[in-house]
Amino acid sequence: MDDVLSHLTSALALVPAGVGDGGDDTWTLIVDSFWPLLLAGLTATIPLALLSFVLGLVIALGVALLRLSPNPVLSGIARFYISVIRGTPLLVQLFVIFYGLPSIGLVIDPWPAAIIAFSLNVGGYAAEIIRAAILSVPKGQWEAGHTVGFSQAQTLTRIVLPQATRVSVPPLSNTFISLVKDTSLASLILVTELFRRAQQIAAFTYEFMIIYLEAALIYWMFCLVLSAGQNALERRLDRYVAH
């Protein structure tokens, strides 16, 4: 990625001072900066969001099951976790992990710190989505599983969760799309993703409006593609739902 920025720097060095005053110079800047921004999004922003989301779903499923547990201690722990995550800003969570933990001797590199923060955040929000989806499955489905000799775990994994998945797809998809945009916060702990790359280019060219609008356009493009994928997945799953 640094090589890409070096090439961009060389290309922009040919642009006269006062870039942006003329239409040709503005378009030159837009074209020269588009690929580095898009590449940062494809190689950093999307992988960061995807990995954090997958880990977050694992956390969310565990927390949701604890939340549904009849054991008041386990349920209380899950409630506390969800309350803390939903009641504090993601930026604060990110700073606590990256800047706060070193004060107690635990130093985490930028990328792992971002993944941990985003995963924990997704876990807190997605847990309630998964819990609601599980509760939406009729109790008769549990009874049917027990009737055919399934254990509680088998009934959950083979009967309940597949049905709950169809219900949870829309809200979980929205959570992932929001996460893609929230990854821009990782730039504040020096993770070189899309927005961090935009900051670097803007600092070099002094064309903050153009570069930041271009970054916003790329985020929008990502969200449009993800929304289209979400709609296609919902239509596919809808075939298996009785109307």
Side-chain angles (χ1 to χ4, degrees):
M1 187 65 72
D2 291 334
D3 292 338
V4 174
L5 186 59
S6 298
H7 290 312
L8 175 65
T9 301
S10 300
L12 293 178
L14 301 176
V15 179
V19 63
D21 296 336
D24 292 342
D25 293 341
T26 299
W27 280 111
T28 298
L29 173 63
I30 292 174
V31 171
D32 287 342
S33 60
F34 182 80
W35 174 244
L37 291 176
L38 180 62
L39 187 62
L42 293 174
T43 61
T45 295
I46 296 301
L48 175 60
L50 187 59
L51 180 57
S52 299
F53 186 71
V54 171
L55 294 176
L57 285 184
V58 174
I59 296 172
L61 178 58
V63 173
L65 294 179
L66 289 179
R67 182 80 168 77
L68 293 170
S69 172
N71 187 312
V73 175
L74 297 179
S75 178
I77 292 174
R79 285 174 180 270
F80 177 76
Y81 169 75
I82 293 172
S83 177
V84 170
I85 293 297
R86 294 167 69 101
T88 57
L90 174 56
L91 181 60
V92 174
Q93 298 165 16
L94 190 63
F95 274 35
V96 166
I97 292 173
F98 185 70
Y99 293 111
L101 291 181
S103 65
I104 58 174
L106 185 56
V107 179
I108 304 177
D109 290 335
W111 265 88
I115 291 173
I116 293 171
F118 293 144
S119 299
L120 291 175
N121 188 267
V122 169
Y125 282 91
E128 287 295 89
I129 295 174
I130 294 175
R131 183 180 72 89
I134 292 175
L135 290 176
S136 71
V137 178
K139 292 183 178 180
Q141 297 296 308
W142 290 92
E143 296 171 357
H146 296 154
T147 300
V148 298
F150 284 173
S151 65
Q152 190 84 350
Q154 289 175 320
T155 302
L156 176 67
T157 56
R158 297 186 182 184
I159 297 178
V160 176
L161 284 183
Q163 297 180 62
T165 298
R166 299 175 192 140
V167 177
S168 63
V169 163
L172 287 179
S173 298
N174 290 333
T175 299
F176 179 66
I177 292 173
S178 295
L179 178 61
V180 169
K181 295 178 290 184
D182 288 341
T183 55
S184 60
L185 294 175
S187 64
L188 297 175
I189 61 170
L190 309 180
V191 173
T192 306
E193 42 66 69
L194 196 163
F195 189 67
R196 175 70 175 174
R197 185 61 71 201
Q199 290 177 313
Q200 293 172 337
I201 297 173
F204 175 78
T205 62
Y206 294 98
E207 290 292 342
F208 297 95
M209 176 66 78
I210 293 174
I211 298 302
Y212 288 154
L213 285 178
E214 193 171 15
L217 174 63
I218 294 174
Y219 277 114
W220 184 33
M221 289 168 49
F222 286 159
C223 290
L224 288 177
V225 172
L226 292 172
S227 295
Q230 172 188 350
N231 293 334
L233 181 58
E234 287 180 23
R235 287 194 297 270
R236 184 177 181 83
L237 292 176
D238 193 52
R239 299 175 185 174
Y240 303 101
V241 179
H243 295 285

